[in-house]
Amino acid sequence: MSIKGFKRIAIAAGLAMAGLGSIAGHAAAPVPQAAAAPAGVSNVAPTTAAATPPAAPASPMLARDGAPGAEIKAGIGQPVNGVYGLQPQVTRNGEFAHWMHNIVLVPTITAISLFVLALLGWVVFRYRAAANPVPSKTSHNTTIEVLWTLLPVLALVLIAVPSIGLLQAQFKPAPAGAVTLKAIGNQWYWTYQYPDHGGFEITANLLKEKGEAAPGERTRTDADGPRLLAADNRIVLPVGVPIRLITTSNDVIHSWAVPAFWIKLDAIPGRLNETSFTIDKPGVYFGQCSELCGARHAYMPIAVEAVTPAQFAAWIAAKGGTMPARGQASNKVIPQPGADGSAAEATTANATDAVTGPTENVTTAAPTVPQGATNNPATGNAGQ
């Protein structure tokens, strides 16, 4: 094949890449979360404060800790055996990322792979020893060098434009009125706090299978969720209201990950990480720790129940919490775990002072308090 033939192949590949850009530009792409408004501009999100809780909540999730509430839908919010691809997304960022994966990344990668494979096949056939007993001494071709520089640049630009927007949207600050959820990683369970709703705390442990649990502990059923993903306590979040997620850890690095939310945020000791998202559809969504954190890393499930604002307000009341004023920004101080002023330190100090007077440099073990529905210890499943 002559140099002219090679040029035609390269030009055709360039046109194919341009066509991919056209597809990506004209497909109906979901819009990621917009960046936070600049200073001085109203950025108030809807709140659940004005929601009227039902007079007599009938949801089982309000009756006792850990009881299953919303019905789990097959293939939603959990992995499915034999299914290829991403989980159905229920946040705007997740929908945009899903579109980018299917419309931009996969076609681009496929086109590049096929083009390189075709070039390799052509070189192997055209320049084999039998066809070229005297090797060519060509060492420079301006057209080829321009093309092999320009085409990768175009491919990178095609990928970079949407990915930079998605990256920006993933770290958009939460607006006023968002529901703050603080997730704390422990070896090997999660604790959750709602700082804007009275500061109450929930401990979530893995629900064990029959034959694995100790006497008196509730075991997993199909209503709780899949094996290794069902938790004795689901956290409850409202649909359509921005969620301000804050993560940290009490021991080693963990990672709070829920694939259906397009969320994976590391929980690091001595550090507060933050992101925001809004859940679009009610349902039950599962995740798990996705950072290797020790021997029982695989037993740190996350179960999120997304409900209407009215149900969320009723759940907060059932937990003894309070609803903030409408549109009120989060004004609660959220200290690091173990820092002066943290809830655990304040509780320990007050109890100690009441008995013995002020003390210094004393470590007090937290009491073991069983959870209402499951009788599981609230201190986690370490060593089990």
Side-chain angles (χ1 to χ4, degrees):
M1 183 180 291
S2 65
I3 294 298
K4 290 183 179 181
F6 181 82
K7 290 180 180 179
R8 286 195 293 270
I9 293 176
I11 292 173
L15 292 175
M17 296 297 296
L20 287 175
S22 176
I23 292 174
H26 290 86
V31 180
Q33 291 184 150
V41 178
S42 176
N43 192 26
V44 177
T47 182
T48 58
T52 303
S59 174
M61 72 179 180
L62 300 179
R64 58 178 186 162
D65 291 346
E71 180 183 357
I72 299 174
K73 298 180 180 179
I76 303 297
Q78 58 183 295
V80 179
N81 186 32
V83 174
Y84 173 81
L86 304 176
Q87 290 187 21
Q89 299 296 304
V90 293
T91 65
R92 292 177 63 182
N93 285 345
E95 290 176 353
F96 182 81
H98 203 170
W99 170 87
M100 179 181 169
H101 174 270
N102 291 343
I103 303 301
V104 178
L105 292 181
V106 172
T108 301
I109 293 171
T110 302
I112 292 175
S113 299
L114 292 176
F115 177 60
V116 172
L117 180 62
L119 285 181
L120 286 174
W122 178 71
V123 169
V124 169
F125 176 78
R126 173 66 179 82
Y127 296 103
R128 68 191 190 280
N132 296 271
V134 180
S136 171
K137 296 183 179 180
T138 303
S139 61
H140 180 73
N141 187 294
T142 302
T143 302
I144 294 177
E145 291 180 359
V146 169
L147 287 175
W148 74 38
T149 302
L150 183 60
L151 290 178
V153 170
L154 294 177
L156 291 175
V157 170
L158 178 65
I159 297 173
V161 171
S163 64
I164 291 175
L166 177 61
L167 182 65
Q168 180 188 24
Q170 286 178 308
F171 293 94
K172 178 186 79 71
V179 171
T180 302
L181 174 67
K182 183 178 180 182
I184 305 171
N186 307 272
Q187 288 180 312
W188 290 273
Y189 63 101
W190 293 97
T191 53
Y192 299 96
Q193 297 173 357
Y194 288 77
D196 299 330
H197 298 82
F200 64 90
E201 184 173 288
I202 296 173
T203 301
N205 287 279
L206 172 77
L207 276 176
K208 300 176 184 177
E209 301 298 303
K210 292 181 180 180
E212 298 177 353
E217 289 186 347
R218 182 166 71 88
T219 57
R220 185 192 68 86
T221 65
D222 291 340
D224 295 306
R227 178 179 175 271
L228 298 181
L229 291 179
D232 58 358
N233 276 313
R234 297 175 184 170
I235 54 172
V236 179
L237 295 174
V239 171
V241 179
I243 308 300
R244 177 192 180 206
L245 174 66
I246 297 175
T247 61
T248 189
S249 172
N250 279 326
D251 35 57
V252 299
I253 298 178
H254 302 277
S255 188
W256 200 87
V258 179
F261 297 166
W262 200 255
I263 291 291
K264 179 185 180 298
L265 192 64
D266 284 352
I268 302 174
R271 181 182 180 90
L272 297 177
N273 282 340
E274 179 177 335
T275 188
S276 65
F277 59 95
T278 302
I279 306 171
D280 294 333
K281 300 176 183 178
V284 182
Y285 306 98
F286 296 96
Q288 57 189 162
C289 176
S290 60
E291 184 72 33
L292 187 59
C293 58
R296 294 184 62 83
H297 159 68
Y299 304 98
M300 288 184 63
I302 300 166
V304 180
E305 186 157 345
V307 299
T308 63
Q311 288 178 307
F312 176 73
W315 182 80
I316 290 293
K319 290 295 183 182
T322 57
M323 297 299 296
R326 183 176 180 82
Q328 174 182 326
S330 177
N331 58 2
K332 302 297 187 295
V333 176
I334 305 178
Q336 300 284 353
D340 293 339
S342 67
E345 288 294 311
T347 300
T348 301
N350 291 338
T352 303
D353 291 348
V355 177
T356 63
T359 57
E360 296 182 359
N361 299 327
V362 174
T363 300
T364 304
T368 300
V369 181
Q371 301 183 44
T374 63
N375 205 33
N376 293 345
T379 53
N381 51 25
Q384 298 179 10

